[in-house]
Amino acid sequence: MLMTREMDYAMRILHALFQEKQLSAADIAQRENMPKAVTLKILKQLHAAGLVTSRRGPSGGYSLHSQTPLYLWDVFHALGESLFVNRCQQPEYHCENYPEGGCNLCRELTRVQSVLNEELRRTPLSAIFQKDQE
């Protein structure tokens, strides 16, 4: 798992929409100092995943899909990012060194993976973003 530049941009887009409720792609790009083309690409991914909604026209723009709380987990999945700390956690991976249940390292990384997954699902983004407004 790597916090890619796209993941950083996605978080900044969601943060801007949390603060302003609705913005155009150009406004988000300018506000967050991001390239407009990249902003549009990520907005398209966030829209396809159902995390943001869009409205066309002069009073249009993007806004957060407000029906369910968003978590870091949701953003990773929306961008198709890998959530594995090591290849050992990938489905159907077989440890070539210890084929019968994996090695101690695989088992420990699996424990770490479980903790990471839980943390990514624990705190809604709204709670994180509200701290900026205090």
Side-chain angles (χ1 to χ4, degrees), residues 24-39:
S24 69
D27 289 340
I28 294 169
Q30 181 179 16
R31 174 189 168 113
E32 296 297 325
N33 299 310
M34 301 181 338
K36 186 176 176 188
V38 173
T39 302

Side-chain angles (χ1 to χ4, degrees), residues 120-132:
L120 291 172
R121 292 181 178 120
R122 185 176 61 92
T123 306
L125 292 178
S126 59
I128 298 167
F129 294 159
Q130 281 177 331
K131 291 177 183 177
D132 287 341

